[in-house]
Amino acid sequence: MLEKGRPPAEIKVLATAQRTLKRPSTVKAARGLSHFGEHSIGWFAAGLLGAAVDRKRRKDWLLAAAGVVGAHAASIAVKRVVRRPRPEHESVEVLVGTPSKLSFPSSHATSTTAAAVLYSGLTGRNLVPALVPPMLASRLVLGVHYPTDVLAGAALGGVVGGLLRRKIRKRGSRS
């Protein structure tokens, strides 16, 4: 159902973000991030690569990769309970296909944040500032999520990633 007339506040924020950020190069990059993050497959593959390269902590990398998929699954479960439809307004242009019509929370934001938190713990580098903002912005540029969708997804991914990171750290201290 296309909302007409004066857009609600969140649509205004989304439309403004899209107008401000939408350039051919940013749309191309956002679509690339969208494909990489779809069903958390790119982040899962990154975890498998970590397991292949860092043999000493292979089990930790595999646990982290599974955690990324688990965070994605948690976001899908929340989506099915909340059932918030994706943005649909004349001031927002949808620039990529989506596997469902459900919007809250952003699964891309969830799995990306979980991956950033978990892989930061394994690499010793804070990956959150480099990975999370571009993915969150990409969902707005593509017009497929409200701002609260990406913020909630990042929060969910941060919680899941943080809890699992603590477990991985405890495992490592016992080894």
Side-chain angles (χ1 to χ4, degrees):
M1 172 172 88
L2 184 65
E3 294 179 46
K4 300 250 184 220
R6 186 184 149 133
E10 209 167 1
I11 288 283
K12 284 184 181 181
V13 171
L14 173 57
T16 300
Q18 191 176 53
R19 264 193 324 276
T20 303
L21 300 172
K22 190 176 89 172
R23 305 280 179 277
S25 60
T26 56
V27 170
K28 184 177 181 178
R31 284 183 176 145
L33 286 170
S34 185
H35 294 305
F36 181 85
E38 195 67 48
H39 305 295
S40 70
I41 194 73
W43 299 121
F44 181 70
L48 295 180
L49 181 61
V53 172
D54 186 359
R55 292 181 178 162
K56 184 178 175 185
R57 294 184 298 167
R58 177 173 284 153
K59 287 182 182 178
D60 293 343
W61 277 100
L62 292 174
L63 183 57
V68 169
V69 174
H72 174 80
S75 73
I76 297 299
V78 173
K79 272 184 200 254
R80 291 187 175 162
V81 170
V82 174
R83 306 202 59 77
R84 181 183 197 184
R86 292 193 185 270
E88 194 173 345
H89 191 272
E90 60 199 10
S91 64
V92 176
E93 185 180 1
V94 177
L95 300 171
V96 71
T98 59
S100 85
K101 295 189 182 303
L102 302 177
S103 188
F104 182 92
S106 165
S107 296
H108 282 76
T110 303
S111 62
T112 298
T113 306
V117 169
L118 288 161
Y119 300 162
S120 289
L122 293 168
T123 63
R125 300 182 188 276
N126 184 3
L127 302 173
V128 173
L131 300 179
V132 176
M135 184 61 84
L136 272 57
S138 77
R139 309 314 287 159
L140 302 179
V141 167
L142 296 173
V144 293
H145 283 290
Y146 295 100
T148 53
D149 298 339
V150 296
L151 294 174
L156 177 59
V159 168
V160 171
L163 291 172
L164 195 51
R165 182 173 165 174
R166 186 176 304 142
K167 181 177 181 166
I168 291 170
R169 196 174 328 151
K170 285 181 183 176
R171 267 178 36 90
S173 67
R174 288 190 300 238
S175 299

